[in-house]
Amino acid sequence: MDIAQLSDKIIKGDRRALSRAITLIESARADHREQATELLERLKDSNRQAIRVGLSGTPGVGKSTFIESFGMMLTGQGLRVAVLAVDPSSARSGGSILGDKTRMERLSRDPNAFIRPSPSQSHLGGVARRTREAVAVCEAAGFDVVLIETVGVGQSETVVAEMSDLFVLLLAPAGGDELQGVKRGIMEMADIILINKADGDLKPAATRTCSDYSGALRLLRKRPQDPVGFPKAMMVSALEEEGLRTAWDEMTSLVDWRRETGHFDGRRAEQARYWFEEEVKQRLLARLRTPEAQQAMGEAADAVAEGAVTPAIAAQRLLQGLAE
């Protein structure tokens, strides 16, 4: 693959080249990783920035419907929108359905939109391991907004906050014990909480839910990257396309404030440091997957199982052997 030619096509906005690049980035083959690294090094000089919006939500909250309506609203304003949707992978077969483009039929036909579903594989945190690199490629391709849809809400689905400028949490009204439905950790990460399905018979319940979360957010510790009034809870209806423009106005006003105060660039610098440390960890773990390391681990595990050595000592000896 000619990486120089591929990077030039991406910068010119070639969608086919963009798809090929993301496929290359997601590959685990050693030669593909080298090519992907070279590609990202070339693309970083484009100096293009998109607004990165991380989206998470409870199952059935209507994430796909929201993204389609929200994306159509943005493209209607002349913005180019990329959607990176992460689907859960089967623990048994390793496969994923990757049906997001099917659920976003209108948006997938929009020439100003690009939708790319990816499998989560075994990566925790609600996103695929290489999603951040895919975001960088979409930025280089000239997209104005990148929407990153996570697998779903959980206590560990907060990694998306480490690759986005805004973290939006979608919730449904009348979902039971509202303030226990989502753990405090993910609430502390959210910049804006959107109560979806605020229409029809669910509108009164959505109003109560929005009020509950507005009160709960006021109890959280103030973050330096937030202006007065943030984080906040709002109501939207993706089905009736109500409240979407207001939500976008709030998002852009928050981004503008963070840019003016230096929090935007500071946060991106922190995220770069986080992903550097993650890459180091992953490469260290990769050393444990070599045949030699696997054999040494098997022998150490047998010794531990027989009671000949404690797990702590066995681990210490194994790591010392790998370091030599």
Side-chain angles (χ1 to χ4, degrees):
M1 187 179 295
D2 188 333
I3 298 302
Q5 186 181 38
L6 184 63
S7 64
D8 288 342
K9 286 184 177 180
I10 290 169
I11 291 171
K12 291 176 183 176
D14 188 313
R15 297 163 67 93
R16 188 183 295 264
L18 176 58
S19 295
R20 290 183 66 198
I22 296 177
T23 300
L24 178 68
I25 283 169
E26 291 177 344
S27 174
R29 276 176 44 176
D31 57 333
H32 286 174
R33 285 307 309 153
E34 288 182 12
Q35 290 180 319
T37 302
E38 181 187 346
L39 176 65
L40 291 165
E41 189 65 24
R42 286 178 176 273
L43 293 177
K44 75 178 178 63
D45 295 328
S46 66
N47 291 322
R48 291 175 173 173
Q49 278 191 344
I51 297 179
R52 307 170 180 175
V53 182
L55 287 160
S56 193
T58 49
V61 74
K63 289 195 295 293
S64 296
T65 305
F66 172 81
I67 290 172
E68 180 170 55
S69 298
F70 190 64
M72 292 296 293
M73 184 269 295
L74 294 177
T75 58
Q77 295 183 13
L79 298 173
R80 298 185 67 212
V81 180
V83 179
L84 300 176
V86 181
D87 266 10
S89 297
S90 168
R92 181 175 297 177
S93 67
S96 296
I97 297 174
L98 303 179
D100 295 271
K101 292 184 79 168
T102 307
R103 295 198 296 268
M104 304 178 199
E105 188 177 351
R106 285 189 302 145
L107 189 61
S108 64
R109 294 199 302 263
D110 194 311
N112 286 323
F114 173 81
I115 302 174
R116 173 69 182 221
S118 298
S120 65
Q121 297 173 327
S122 59
H123 190 67
L124 299 177
V127 292
R129 182 181 169 190
R130 299 296 174 185
T131 298
R132 180 179 182 273
E133 295 176 356
V135 171
V137 176
C138 290
E139 282 188 319
F143 285 92
D144 303 298
V145 183
V146 180
L147 303 177
I148 310 158
E149 180 193 359
T150 70
V151 167
V153 154
Q155 287 172 287
S156 64
E157 262 70 19
T158 53
V159 176
V160 69
E162 296 295 342
M163 63 178 71
S164 56
D165 303 315
L166 295 168
F167 183 28
V168 178
L169 183 59
L170 281 174
L171 297 174
D177 189 351
E178 298 294 348
L179 296 181
Q180 285 296 322
V182 179
K183 298 297 181 181
R184 181 184 173 115
I186 201 166
M187 276 188 64
E188 289 176 330
M189 294 282 186
D191 295 303
I192 297 177
I193 293 178
L194 296 180
I195 314 301
N196 193 21
K197 302 184 179 181
D199 48 56
D201 294 339
L202 287 175
K203 193 159 188 176
T207 304
R208 289 194 301 271
T209 303
C210 187
S211 177
D212 288 344
Y213 274 100
S214 295
L217 289 172
R218 285 194 291 269
L219 299 176
L220 297 179
R221 183 177 300 173
K222 181 71 175 173
R223 304 180 306 184
Q225 71 267 31
D226 291 331
V228 176
F230 284 89
K232 63 174 57 179
M234 304 173 62
M235 294 191 300
V236 296
S237 170
L239 190 64
E240 297 184 354
E241 300 183 359
E242 291 183 358
L244 302 179
R245 191 174 296 273
T246 304
W248 175 240
D249 289 342
E250 293 289 353
M251 292 179 199
T252 51
S253 68
L254 179 56
V255 168
D256 291 342
W257 183 87
R258 286 178 175 173
R259 280 190 168 131
E260 291 168 4
T261 55
H263 288 294
F264 186 91
D265 292 334
R267 181 62 182 144
R268 285 210 171 183
E270 289 176 10
Q271 290 174 348
R273 181 185 295 273
Y274 171 89
W275 289 105
F276 158 70
E277 293 176 355
E278 281 298 305
E279 189 66 27
V280 171
K281 292 176 187 176
Q282 291 298 327
R283 295 200 177 203
L284 287 173
L285 287 173
R287 291 189 177 185
L288 296 177
R289 291 192 285 269
T290 62
E292 298 81 6
Q294 289 292 310
Q295 181 180 352
M297 285 186 69
E299 292 171 356
D302 290 340
V304 170
E306 293 168 1
V309 64
T310 63
I313 295 296
Q316 182 180 349
R317 290 174 180 171
L318 175 67
L319 293 174
Q320 286 176 342
L322 292 175
E324 292 174 354

